[in-house]
Amino acid sequence: MASNVNPTVRRRRLGQELRRLREQRGMTAEEVADRLLVSQSKISRLENGRRSISQRDVRDLCGVYEVEDRRIVESLMQMAKESRQQGWWHAFGDIPYSVYIGLETDAASLRVYEPQVVPGLLQTRPYAEAVVAGALPEAGAADIERRVQVRMRRQERIREDRTPLRLWAVLDESVLRREVGGRHTMAEQLEYLNEMSQQPHVTLQVMPFSMGAHPGVNGQYAILEFPEASDSTVIYLEGVTSDLYLEKANDVQNYSVMYEHLRAQALNPDQTREFIEDVAKQYARG
């Protein structure tokens, strides 16, 4: 999906522009909320792109900020209209991590650390089916299939010919050792990892058990960067019932530094391919 119609990214850009206008007026979110008789949390959600923005919201906010240039108001209202369009993922129904999918769809690069399972963008279908079924033991077959279909569709981003997603993944050794879906599925999955690691835009590294404690012991996280300079980098932390998105410069800096330490301590890409191949052979031998 082209970035100019991605509703998630459109909301973020519009929210950033509304925050800039508020700050230019020297107003706090609480003051704006009082003027519009809404909650402060609504203003915050509008500005961070976590809430759909209506054209009426834009009109009211521009009135509070005394934006006199009609072209600016109309441009912001058009962004609001586009931000309410539906992304491709909406065709699959209520997806709990739809905000993340919207960001991933428009991202230029993704750095991820995974301590438990193969990243979704690199999963084979049998592996994905086993992961989803295991993670959601009470889900029905139809729900599992829907989630797997979304996962497979997401992988189109790293298969694009012109502008594929630049993916760098550091995997804990436990990802390779955890037998998901049986030995045949694991052997096939690890062979696929090595196949994908040959792509110029995909880099894989394994963090072996022998490394001991390392900056990734606190859990999974992803760093998304975007082609537009105005789009801030996002740190994504996946939760069971809700996810966390961090955009403050200090948070981005801290997680980026941690990731550099992870890359430095993990096996290099060539060593990683050899390591994965050895484990895949163990699965294949049964």
Side-chain angles (χ1 to χ4, degrees):
M1 176 178 295
S3 62
N4 64 341
V5 294
N6 184 321
T8 303
V9 173
R10 252 332 195 210
R11 285 201 304 269
R12 293 183 70 234
R13 292 175 182 169
L14 178 54
Q16 290 169 359
E17 184 62 21
L18 292 174
R19 181 187 297 114
R20 185 186 66 81
L21 290 173
R22 174 176 61 78
E23 292 174 345
Q24 278 187 343
R25 293 294 300 171
M27 300 181 69
T28 66
E30 184 177 8
E31 289 171 336
V32 175
D34 288 341
R35 286 279 299 275
L36 295 178
L37 301 178
V38 299
S39 67
Q40 182 180 344
S41 63
K42 175 179 178 177
I43 302 301
S44 297
R45 290 197 299 272
L46 291 177
E47 291 186 352
N48 64 27
R50 301 291 178 262
R51 179 189 173 113
S52 180
I53 306 177
S54 69
Q55 291 178 296
R56 180 176 179 176
D57 290 330
V58 170
R59 183 199 64 189
D60 292 346
L61 289 168
C62 285
V64 173
Y65 304 148
E66 299 181 8
V67 180
E68 297 179 353
D69 191 329
R70 188 61 193 171
R71 292 172 300 177
I72 295 177
V73 176
E74 290 176 352
S75 175
L76 294 177
M77 292 182 70
Q78 179 62 26
M79 289 179 68
K81 181 179 179 180
E82 293 173 354
S83 74
R84 297 175 72 84
Q85 297 176 2
Q86 293 188 333
W88 63 259
W89 51 93
H90 289 284
F92 293 90
D94 184 22
I95 302 298
Y97 52 99
S98 60
V99 171
Y100 172 79
I101 295 176
L103 295 174
E104 181 185 82
T105 297
D106 208 61
S109 70
L110 172 63
R111 289 174 284 166
V112 60
Y113 169 68
E114 271 291 354
Q116 300 290 341
V117 296
V118 172
L121 291 175
L122 297 173
Q123 293 178 4
T124 63
R125 174 173 271 275
Y127 183 95
E129 291 170 348
V131 166
V132 175
L136 302 171
E138 298 185 3
D143 189 28
I144 292 173
E145 174 59 22
R146 179 173 60 95
R147 290 170 181 261
V148 171
Q149 286 180 1
V150 171
R151 194 158 301 186
M152 296 298 102
R153 175 67 184 272
R154 285 169 50 204
Q155 294 181 3
E156 293 181 9
R157 279 295 284 116
I158 59 173
R159 298 196 185 102
E160 292 179 2
D161 293 330
R162 297 182 59 185
T163 57
L165 177 68
R166 175 73 176 90
L167 175 63
W168 197 306
V170 177
L171 313 180
D172 191 86
E173 184 179 341
S174 61
V175 172
L176 313 182
R177 302 294 183 183
R178 177 168 289 101
E179 189 173 324
V180 176
R183 303 184 74 86
H184 175 75
T185 294
M186 285 302 300
E188 180 184 67
Q189 174 64 77
L190 298 189
E191 289 170 1
Y192 181 68
L193 280 180
N194 268 353
E195 177 186 334
M196 290 301 298
S197 72
Q198 302 288 344
Q199 299 295 319
H201 57 282
V202 178
T203 301
L204 290 182
Q205 291 184 261
V206 166
M207 181 70 73
F209 290 148
S210 60
M211 188 55 64
H214 56 76
V217 295
N218 289 324
Q220 180 271 354
Y221 70 93
I223 305 174
L224 299 107
E225 296 177 305
F226 302 88
E228 297 292 333
S230 59
D231 294 329
S232 58
T233 298
V234 177
I235 307 299
Y236 171 67
L237 304 174
E238 184 177 0
V240 177
T241 58
S242 62
D243 301 327
L244 184 62
Y245 300 87
L246 306 176
E247 299 181 51
K248 292 182 179 179
N250 187 56
D251 292 328
V252 171
Q253 174 68 11
N254 287 336
Y255 276 92
S256 296
V257 169
M258 281 200 303
Y259 203 81
E260 290 306 310
H261 282 288
L262 281 172
R263 297 202 294 197
Q265 295 177 38
L267 300 178
N268 67 41
D270 289 335
Q271 293 170 329
T272 291
R273 276 188 284 270
E274 293 177 2
F275 193 95
I276 292 176
E277 183 178 0
D278 288 341
V279 179
K281 288 178 179 177
Q282 294 173 29
Y283 283 118
R285 287 196 297 266

